[in-house]
Every structure is written in structure tokens, then in C-alpha cells.
């Protein structure tokens, strides 16, 4: 395209081998070759970002970690440190890929595990709360009721197999 030609010509003049600005270019056959090489890799980076490949890997790693460690004290800040990005960034890409926030996802996993335990075991509700990562019984009960529609005690009574 015309814009690309102008960019290539002006870049070639700006970064000429003789300008001394990029001495490592002297080992290559031409400035034009290096501009093409640079443009190729910049485009690869932009394509990767545009397609969300890096973000998908990060989210996949977080989801795996959450499923393996849901009973532990997991939060957005801790996950951000694990994957090496800011809490804001991981929150944004997590929501974009999963459709829910990190805390909502963690609660969903924990409540599903709690439902399973309530249905299949005779553990006390407080023990189940602790097993799935809640150390505060009133909070566990309120989250459970929010997601399931009934209290853990009612659910256990109605669903014990």
C-alpha cells in the first residue's frame, strides 16, 4: 500500500546502516530486510494480542489453579501474583473469557462442591463449609443461598441421597 511504502522508505532513511543508530544491523544484508523482519514480528505480536491467545493461556492457568485449590484462600490479588499480571488485567481477561468475575467463578466452584458433599455425605454443614474454602459459616450460608436459592440446611434435608 502507499502508506506502507512511505513508512518503509522513511524508516529506511531514519535507520540507515550508516546513521550509526542501529549498529547491529550491519551484520545483515540490508536495512530493508531488517525492516521487513521487524514488521513481521510486530504484526505477529499484534495478531496474538488481538486474538487473545496470551489472555486465553492466562485464564486457562487460573481456571486450572482454582479447580485444584478451591478449598484454599484464593482471591484476585493472589492469582495475579501467580500469573505475573495486575489484578485489574486478569479480572478483565477472566471476565471476557468466562463471562463472570474471578470471585463469582470461585464461589460457583465452591458451591458446586458443597452441593455434592451435602447430597452424598453426612458431614456437618460447618465441616463442608471449611472443606470447600469458607471459614465463616454465616458467609457460606449467604453465598450458598444466593447461588442455590435455599440454605445449606434446607438443601441437605431435601437432597440427601
Amino acid at each position: 500500500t502507499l502508506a506502507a511504502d512511505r513508512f518503509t522508505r522513511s524508516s529506511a532513511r531514519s535507520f540507515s546502516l550508516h546513521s550509526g543508530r542501529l549498529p547491529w544491523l550491519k551484520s545483515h544484508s540490508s536495512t530493508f530486510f531488517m525492516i521487513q523482519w521487524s514488521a513481521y514480528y510486530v504484526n505477529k505480536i499484534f495478531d496474538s494480542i488481538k486474538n487473545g491467545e496470551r489472555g486465553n493461556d492466562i485464564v486457562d492457568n487460573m481456571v486450572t489453579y482454582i479447580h485444584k485449590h478451591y478449598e484454599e484462600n484464593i482471591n484476585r490479588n493472589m492469582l495475579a501474583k501467580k500469573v505475573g499480571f495486575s489484578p485489574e488485567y486478569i479480572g478483565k481477561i477472566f471476565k471476557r473469557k468466562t463471562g463472570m468475575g474471578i470471585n463469582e467463578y470461585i464461589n460457583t466452584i465452591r458451591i458446586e462442591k458443597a452441593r455434592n458433599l451435602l447430597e452424598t455425605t453426612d458431614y456437618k454443614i460447618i465441616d463442608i463449609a471449611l472443606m470447600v474454602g469458607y471459614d465463616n459459616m454465616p458467609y457460606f450460608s449467604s453465598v450458598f443461598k444466593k447461588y442455590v436459592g435455599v440454605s445449606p440446611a434446607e438443601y441437605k434435608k431435601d437432597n440427601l441421597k
Side-chain angles (χ1 to χ4, degrees):
T1 67
L2 186 59
D5 284 342
R6 268 192 234 136
F7 171 77
T8 303
R9 277 186 263 131
S10 69
S11 297
R13 282 191 298 272
S14 300
F15 294 106
S16 129
L17 289 175
H18 306 293
S19 71
R21 291 184 188 168
L22 299 172
W24 57 272
L25 282 176
K26 290 180 182 179
S27 64
H28 297 283
S29 60
S30 73
T31 304
F32 183 71
F33 167 79
M34 289 309 298
I35 292 169
Q36 283 181 317
W37 178 85
S38 299
Y40 171 79
Y41 281 100
V42 166
N43 284 329
K44 293 286 276 179
I45 291 167
F46 285 132
D47 287 345
S48 174
I49 291 167
K50 183 174 72 178
N51 295 333
E53 292 168 6
R54 180 77 172 133
N56 288 341
D57 291 344
I58 294 166
V59 172
D60 291 343
N61 289 340
M62 288 190 297
V63 166
T64 299
Y65 185 87
I66 291 167
H67 280 271
K68 289 182 179 178
H69 301 274
Y70 65 87
E71 72 281 354
E72 298 172 15
N73 184 19
I74 303 173
N75 59 50
R76 188 174 75 162
N77 290 337
M78 188 273 297
L79 287 170
K81 286 180 185 174
K82 287 247 180 246
V83 297
F85 289 93
S86 74
E88 294 76 21
Y89 177 71
I90 67 164
K92 182 178 173 182
I93 63 171
F94 194 93
K95 185 156 188 141
R96 188 181 319 140
K97 180 167 182 192
T98 66
M100 61 178 78
I102 293 171
N103 288 335
E104 183 182 358
Y105 187 82
I106 293 167
N107 282 331
T108 300
I109 299 304
R110 288 176 171 170
I111 295 304
E112 282 305 310
K113 300 293 184 180
R115 286 174 68 175
N116 183 308
L117 290 168
L118 288 166
E119 292 172 7
T120 61
T121 70
D122 60 351
Y123 293 135
K124 293 179 182 177
I125 294 171
I126 185 70
D127 294 332
I128 291 173
L130 293 168
M131 292 167 90
V132 298
Y134 294 100
D135 58 359
N136 181 317
M137 183 62 185
Y139 181 66
F140 168 69
S141 291
S142 70
V143 172
F144 191 93
K145 188 166 187 170
K146 175 183 172 185
Y147 283 82
V148 180
V150 296
S151 71
E154 291 174 84
Y155 187 85
K156 184 172 183 80
K157 185 179 82 173
D158 294 341
N159 294 287
L160 190 59
K161 295 178 181 175

